[in-house]
Amino acid sequence: MSSKKNLVLIVILCIGISAMAQSPETNQNTEVHSFSYPVFGKSLNHQLRLGIGAKLFEPARFMIFEQEPVVIDTDNSELGIKTNYNFHEGARNTTGALFGEYIVSLNKTFELGATFTYFSYYSNYYSNYSSNQNNYNAQVGENEEHHFSIYPTLRLNYVNQRNFRIYSALALGPRFVFEHDNSPINKSSSSSVRVAGQMTLLGFSIGVKNFWFVDLCTLGTQGFITTGIGLSL
């Protein structure tokens, strides 16, 4: 009888020691898991956004921050359109701003990522007169500019629900400009580095895995209003 009691006590003691040995490890694992989860775990939301922005004008033509190279016998209108006695520049067209963003959510409020933007302006030169009347207003040249920019982007979420967000964003970085001018009196190619960036005062996104976004009250490289689609990775 005594041996049976001793056996029962030994079994109970072994179970108690095993529970005590496993308890700290379990608590430790739980604490580490809860600490690392918000920072390095699945709560990090990765987003890929593709969009287009509407641009009203070409800032370089207004010569706000820099002077445009002087071309002999060529005048510039108030909007920067090049004119001459022998030819004139036609409408200044743009592709609009095409951009892609890769964004990582640091938490429910702050998001950080990078934005790549491309846009171009292009126009044609037309003859003002000719000895052959059929050649009047004929195309005699062209001008084009290509703008490439990449910059870090910081986004602040005011509302961050599962399928709806309201945010502001700020971005700043370099812009690389390549220009080719082929007018009747000037043929040249040039490149320059300028400042790029975008400030969004009010933006919205709707959706969960796949979402649509629109940025209002914006100013910068991507234009005065942008829209596009996104994917949560």
Side-chain angles (χ1 to χ4, degrees):
M1 189 69 180
S2 174
S3 61
K4 290 184 179 180
K5 287 184 178 181
N6 292 338
L7 181 60
V8 171
L9 290 175
I10 291 173
V11 171
I12 294 174
L13 183 61
C14 290
I15 293 174
I17 293 174
S18 176
M20 292 176 64
Q22 292 179 1
S23 179
E25 182 179 356
T26 303
N27 293 338
Q28 183 179 1
N29 290 340
T30 303
E31 290 176 2
V32 172
H33 179 71
S34 63
F35 174 79
S36 62
Y37 184 81
V39 181
F40 301 105
K42 294 181 180 180
S43 61
L44 278 180
N45 180 31
H46 301 257
Q47 296 179 14
L48 180 63
R49 294 159 50 115
L50 301 175
I52 184 170
K55 301 181 73 66
L56 288 178
F57 56 84
E58 182 180 359
R61 287 301 178 98
F62 284 90
M63 298 178 291
I64 299 175
F65 300 107
E66 54 188 291
Q67 292 295 318
E68 190 174 354
V70 177
V71 180
I72 299 176
D73 295 331
T74 301
D75 297 325
N76 292 325
S77 68
E78 293 181 357
L79 296 180
I81 302 299
K82 298 177 181 178
T83 61
N84 183 272
Y85 293 110
N86 299 321
F87 69 93
H88 64 276
E89 186 177 13
R92 192 75 171 163
N93 302 303
T94 180
T95 57
L98 308 174
F99 63 90
E101 294 181 336
Y102 181 76
I103 303 294
V104 176
S105 298
L106 303 179
N107 50 48
K108 288 181 67 68
T109 303
F110 294 101
E111 298 177 342
L112 183 64
T115 301
F116 173 80
T117 303
Y118 166 79
F119 62 89
S120 67
Y121 295 99
Y122 53 95
S123 59
N124 295 323
Y125 296 117
Y126 299 96
S127 173
N128 287 339
Y129 63 89
S130 173
S131 57
N132 183 352
Q133 191 64 24
N134 293 331
N135 290 334
Y136 177 76
N137 213 32
Q139 181 179 338
V140 292
E142 63 277 337
N143 177 277
E144 59 184 39
E145 283 188 10
H146 302 275
H147 298 241
F148 302 86
S149 58
I150 184 169
Y151 37 79
T153 300
L154 177 64
R155 183 171 292 117
L156 173 65
N157 293 313
Y158 303 113
V159 177
N160 191 352
Q161 301 299 325
R162 185 172 180 270
N163 58 353
F164 180 70
R165 293 184 180 184
I166 302 177
Y167 56 85
S168 294
L170 181 64
L172 188 66
R175 174 164 42 129
F176 306 93
V177 182
F178 302 90
E179 180 178 8
H180 175 71
D181 188 77
N182 183 24
S183 71
I185 60 174
N186 181 56
K187 292 179 175 62
S188 64
S189 296
S190 62
S191 62
S192 61
V193 179
R194 304 174 187 174
V195 177
Q198 185 77 4
M199 179 175 63
T200 300
L201 298 180
L202 190 62
F204 303 90
S205 68
I206 301 174
V208 184
K209 182 69 175 179
N210 303 309
F211 59 90
W212 167 74
F213 68 89
V214 57
D215 295 343
L216 307 173
C217 303
T218 65
L219 176 66
T221 306
Q222 294 168 213
F224 72 98
I225 182 173
T226 70
T227 187
I229 57 175
L231 173 66
S232 294
L233 305 176

